[in-house]
Amino acid sequence: MSQQLPDVQASSPTVSIGLNRVGVTGVEKLVEIDQNGDRPVVLMAEFEVFVDLPKWRKGADMSRNMEVIDETLESAVGDTASGVEDVCGTAAERLLEKHEYTTQAEVRMEARYVVHDRTPESERLTQSTADIIASATATEDGTSEEIGARVTGMTVCPCSQGMSAARARETLLDLGIDDGTIEDFLDAVPQPGHSQRGHATLTIETDDDVDIDVTDVIDIARDSMSARIYNLAKRPDEDYMTYDAHADAKFVEDCVRSLADGVTETFSALPDTAVITMKQSNDESIHQHNAHAERVATMEELRAEIEA
């Protein structure tokens, strides 16, 4: 006769306080995402799975968390999911069902996504990568889902560029060039400014059933910086990217505002209650520190500010 093992997790803790998030991180799974009739995209994704824990319970059922996430993701791989946020939503709802003591379940996911590109000038086939970010939170009131991306691009500092333009203007005046010609030259040839690699993050969270194409999110994020970058670049492409970036110099704050503008224009059907998270971090080239800006707002707030 087998002995029943004690359920230690269900016992009372020594210190009776509740915990907001208890679970597992670093869970790697293959997830297959439908592409509207095209060949599905297969992602190597990393998951985090959490539930809240009441003060009277010593621990969460970690094995049960893993069982739920395994079952959900294996099903997603087998049936092809409509979106990574839906995979997270399904898993979060099942976690809530499986844990009778919890009031909130949360599933987060990140995965590398490959974007097929052509270089801007030589039109060579190449690839770019982005980090897809998805999450879902389930409670007894319903489930909210989040989808977004983190991309890398190039920015140029307008302040540094302005100082270079002032120096060029003085030099040309000393050479006897008239004001009109100088202004025409400076308009046609953007002056140097210190550049940096920028990282734009854009996520959209909503509890409405709204179809959000993650490739649109990636495009908004890539276009929010001074210039897109590419893994492959011939000399004409390098010249194009350098000119393009200096022709659209942006502070880190400008990049976040560009994200907001892109979201309101591209996703006009989003409900007012949708929460938009926009972040920009720049790896500074002439400083040891980095620059960062962010904004979290509802679609209603963004629309009101942009349209004012």
Side-chain angles (χ1 to χ4, degrees), residues 67-108:
E67 180 183 8
V68 171
I69 201 70
D70 271 348
E71 289 175 357
T72 302
L73 297 182
E74 290 301 327
S75 174
V77 171
D79 297 336
T80 307
S82 58
V84 285
E85 69 274 29
D86 296 327
V87 174
C88 294
T90 300
E93 289 168 358
R94 293 193 63 189
L95 279 167
L96 199 64
E97 294 172 2
K98 292 276 188 176
H99 296 76
E100 68 280 355
Y101 52 81
T102 194
T103 61
Q104 178 173 298
E106 185 180 350
V107 176
R108 297 180 177 273

Side-chain angles (χ1 to χ4, degrees), residues 170-205:
E170 290 178 6
T171 301
L172 291 170
L173 283 171
D174 290 342
L175 292 172
I177 309 300
D178 64 272
D179 286 338
T181 302
I182 291 174
E183 294 308 317
D184 288 343
F185 171 77
L186 293 178
D187 286 342
V189 183
Q191 294 304 291
H194 76 83
S195 62
Q196 48 265 318
R197 181 170 290 183
H199 309 277
T201 303
L202 172 62
T203 64
I204 301 170
E205 179 183 353

Side-chain angles (χ1 to χ4, degrees), residues 35-52:
Q35 289 290 290
N36 297 320
D38 294 335
R39 186 173 64 180
V41 172
V42 179
L43 302 173
M44 186 65 204
E46 183 170 310
F47 286 84
E48 297 180 342
V49 180
F50 303 105
V51 296
D52 63 343

Side-chain angles (χ1 to χ4, degrees), residues 73-226:
L73 297 182
E74 290 301 327
S75 174
V77 171
D79 297 336
T80 307
S82 58
V84 285
E85 69 274 29
D86 296 327
V87 174
C88 294
T90 300
E93 289 168 358
R94 293 193 63 189
L95 279 167
L96 199 64
E97 294 172 2
K98 292 276 188 176
H99 296 76
E100 68 280 355
Y101 52 81
T102 194
T103 61
Q104 178 173 298
E106 185 180 350
V107 176
R108 297 180 177 273
M109 187 222 78
E110 287 199 17
R112 292 293 269 175
Y113 181 77
V114 176
V115 179
H116 295 278
D117 265 334
R118 285 190 180 273
T119 54
E121 196 66 23
S122 65
E123 297 189 348
R124 300 288 187 94
L125 286 173
T126 186
Q127 295 179 353
S128 299
T129 55
D131 293 323
I132 294 181
I133 304 166
S135 70
T137 302
T139 68
E140 61 180 11
D141 295 325
T143 303
S144 62
E145 296 179 348
E146 179 186 48
I147 181 67
R150 184 188 308 109
V151 306
T152 303
M154 178 180 176
T155 62
V156 171
C157 176
C159 183
S160 171
Q161 188 180 59
M163 291 185 286
S164 294
R167 181 189 296 271
R169 186 178 287 106
E170 290 178 6
T171 301
L172 291 170
L173 283 171
D174 290 342
L175 292 172
I177 309 300
D178 64 272
D179 286 338
T181 302
I182 291 174
E183 294 308 317
D184 288 343
F185 171 77
L186 293 178
D187 286 342
V189 183
Q191 294 304 291
H194 76 83
S195 62
Q196 48 265 318
R197 181 170 290 183
H199 309 277
T201 303
L202 172 62
T203 64
I204 301 170
E205 179 183 353
T206 179
D207 53 9
D208 287 28
D209 187 16
V210 181
D211 185 24
I212 299 173
D213 191 336
V214 73
T215 58
D216 290 335
V217 176
I218 291 170
D219 283 337
I220 293 170
R222 293 183 75 189
D223 289 336
S224 69
M225 292 173 274
S226 296

